[in-house]
Amino acid sequence: MRPVKVGLLGIGTVGGGTFTVLSRNQEEIRRRAGRGIEIAMVADLNTERAKEVVGDAAQVVADARAVIANPEIDVVVELIGGYGIAKALVLEAIAAGKHVVTANKALLAVHGTEIFAAARDKGVMVAFEAAVAGGIPIIKALREGLTANQIQWVAGIINGTTNFILSEMRDKGLDFDVVLKEAQRLGYAEADPTFDIEGVDAAHKATLLSAIAFGVPVQFDKAHVEGITKLSATDIKYAEQLGYRIKLLGIARRQADGIELRTHPTLVPMRRLIANVEGAMNAVLVQGDAVGTTMYYGKGAGSEPTASAVIADLVDIARQIDAPAGSRVPALGFQPNQLSNLPILPIEEVVTSFYLRLRVADQTGVLAKLTGILAEQGISIDAVIQREADEVSGEGGNQTDLMILTHDTKEGAMNKALTAMQALPTVLAPIVKLRKEELA
């Protein structure tokens, strides 16, 4: 059969890895796909760099639209990133009847509904395994391997930069700002790390996972997003003493009245495998009603790990390219006319347990007032631990740190309680609130 002709838009880290791996393993890939897969064109503004990577193996151009206009190109691989020109090029490729592979989680999380609809109308495929967790095949696992299950929840460490920072903070007892600078020096964090450290990147990925897990449209605008910039070494130390580790998790959970979609720092019991995922590694837990809990672990970024996912998508397209559109695997795993209208729950309606840390005056009756406020909101306490403030801050014996662990309660009730507690004159600093997940 005629080889599938591929056009690459962008040949940076992932594009270069895709070219390298496809060249190195082309015979094995051909045996799996049933036909050859050839990168015929590469578009990159830096044509000299692109030619250094591909040599004479592919035509190099500066204009991405030249790739889209080439009638011989079957598949366009978008590796530019962002929402702007990438969106325009993807929609133009679809309109030209090209299949699309992308690693662009931001684009799909924000504009995925429009893009998938355009692809459906043109009878082409949009594949995006590389958009979530790099080389870990979590999209395929959810979309195909677990189709017998009603997925109950998904929780993942899906941003390597923040996981590296949290691991270093715990290991070395350093605060966030110090570790961030080290992560930038080592290349784990970008010069502008905002999307990573503010949780946006992980939330983009969690949005895609929620759509595939529950068969709902992508709805990033309704996700609750918190980053790790306000975390202190103090809370990481206290969490460790209590038997927990703090991880930035992307969480999607099905409830009777809607879907939770949230990304935030989370206390996870140390006995859970995911709590022991360290450094820049990624891991995703999936709970299905039939299979139980499954875990997917590996490199969430990097040239060849991400290229592995891009090429897996190319193989899928090569296998299905001649099949009728209706017999192909749907982009989100559910038939397009069978997507659910379950709403994304506002964070105030989400039920979870909490870790609270309060710096308070070391006076009689303080704890009674605090527990009374929690009781007024129907919040049940699991445990209270007291540490002298000078154990961690050197501020002397007239202050103390209280750690309160709660049972499950609605976020809205907890926020009302926190407002009342913060107003007490004996509460001497902003209260730290972190959510806690057992993931059992």
Side-chain angles (χ1 to χ4, degrees):
M1 288 186 287
R2 183 181 73 85
V4 171
K5 300 281 189 177
V6 177
L8 281 186
L9 307 186
I11 194 159
T13 300
V14 177
T18 299
F19 183 85
T20 299
V21 174
L22 193 56
S23 301
R24 184 175 72 226
N25 296 338
Q26 61 178 281
E27 179 58 23
E28 192 81 352
I29 291 165
R30 184 195 62 77
R31 290 173 58 214
R32 293 179 187 274
R35 63 204 308 164
I37 299 173
E38 299 176 1
I39 295 177
M41 288 187 77
V42 173
D44 197 286
L45 293 175
N46 190 338
T47 54
E48 291 304 313
R49 182 189 64 186
K51 288 175 182 177
E52 288 177 4
V53 176
V54 305
D56 297 327
Q59 180 186 356
V60 174
V61 297
D63 184 5
R65 289 184 168 91
V67 175
I68 295 170
N70 186 337
E72 293 189 358
I73 296 297
D74 303 299
V75 186
V76 171
V77 179
E78 183 276 308
L79 300 173
I80 298 170
Y83 308 111
I85 187 63
K87 178 188 176 186
L89 293 173
V90 164
L91 289 174
E92 288 173 26
I94 290 169
K98 314 293 187 187
H99 304 285
V100 171
V101 173
T102 180
N104 194 335
K105 63 271 184 181
L107 175 64
L108 294 181
V110 176
H111 299 292
T113 299
E114 178 185 354
I115 289 167
F116 296 140
R120 186 166 64 252
D121 290 343
K122 288 295 292 187
V124 298
M125 292 172 273
V126 175
F128 53 98
E129 182 66 68
V132 180
I136 303 172
I138 184 60
I139 301 295
K140 184 173 285 291
L142 279 170
R143 191 171 56 198
E144 298 168 48
L146 298 174
T147 50
N149 290 259
Q150 183 176 88
I151 304 300
Q152 296 163 336
W153 53 261
V154 179
I157 297 170
I158 42 182
N159 181 273
T161 299
T162 50
N163 201 52
F164 173 82
I165 291 172
L166 292 175
S167 297
E168 290 290 288
M169 288 176 70
R170 181 179 62 82
D171 287 345
K172 298 178 180 178
L174 300 173
D175 276 322
F176 169 80
D177 291 340
V178 176
V179 178
L180 173 59
K181 290 178 182 176
E182 178 67 4
Q184 289 172 315
R185 187 185 70 80
L186 294 172
Y188 287 110
E190 302 285 347
D192 180 2
T194 304
F195 264 34
D196 293 323
I197 62 177
E198 295 294 354
V200 177
D201 177 78
H204 284 149
K205 297 168 184 175
T207 297
L208 295 175
L209 293 178
S210 71
I212 298 168
F214 307 124
V216 297
V218 290
Q219 300 171 75
F220 173 72
D221 60 320
K222 297 177 183 175
H224 178 78
V225 186
E226 293 178 28
I228 64 170
T229 56
K230 297 179 182 177
L231 279 178
S232 73
T234 298
D235 292 303
I236 290 175
K237 176 183 176 181
Y238 282 152
E240 191 89 1
Q241 293 175 2
L242 295 168
Y244 293 88
R245 288 189 177 153
I246 298 176
K247 297 292 184 182
L248 182 75
L249 293 185
I251 298 171
R253 179 179 278 113
R254 184 200 303 264
Q255 301 288 7
D257 55 347
I259 291 167
E260 300 174 16
L261 178 55
R262 48 194 172 96
T263 297
H264 49 71
T266 310
L267 273 74
V268 181
M270 280 194 288
R271 62 184 179 277
R272 302 281 181 248
L273 284 174
I274 198 168
N276 295 281
V277 173
E278 301 292 357
M281 301 302 280
N282 280 199
V284 182
L285 286 174
V286 181
Q287 178 76 18
D289 68 327
V291 75
T293 306
T294 55
M295 179 170 164
Y296 308 83
Y297 168 86
K299 293 181 178 179
S303 176
E304 294 200 0
T306 309
S308 170
V310 170
I311 295 168
D313 281 340
L314 290 173
V315 170
D316 278 351
I317 288 174
R319 288 168 173 166
Q320 302 177 74
I321 200 166
D322 295 325
S327 65
R328 296 168 180 161
V329 179
L332 296 178
F334 289 77
Q335 295 303 322
N337 62 351
Q338 295 296 313
L339 293 183
S340 169
N341 60 1
L342 267 179
I344 304 298
L345 295 172
I347 191 64
E348 291 78 16
E349 296 298 313
V350 169
V351 175
T352 187
S353 55
F354 292 90
Y355 157 99
L356 308 176
R357 177 171 65 84
L358 303 94
R359 177 65 55 84
V360 298
D362 192 5
Q363 297 176 10
T364 303
V366 171
L367 181 58
K369 289 181 181 177
L370 295 171
T371 56
I373 290 171
L374 291 171
E376 288 173 5
Q377 294 298 328
I379 299 170
S380 174
I381 295 173
D382 180 34
V384 178
I385 299 95
Q386 180 173 326
R387 294 284 187 270
E388 290 300 325
D390 59 356
E391 290 184 24
V392 289
S393 68
E395 294 189 22
N398 61 337
Q399 302 179 10
T400 190
D401 278 345
L402 290 177
M403 278 70 69
I404 300 175
L405 302 181
T406 76
H407 291 295
D408 284 351
T409 190
K410 273 191 178 182
E411 179 103 13
M414 176 56 71
N415 289 341
K416 289 178 182 178
L418 288 178
T419 299
M421 290 192 291
Q422 192 71 70
L424 294 174
T426 50
V427 175
L428 306 176
I431 299 170
V432 174
K433 177 191 76 174
L434 295 171
R435 299 167 192 88
K436 183 163 65 74
E437 293 286 340
E438 291 299 315
L439 301 180

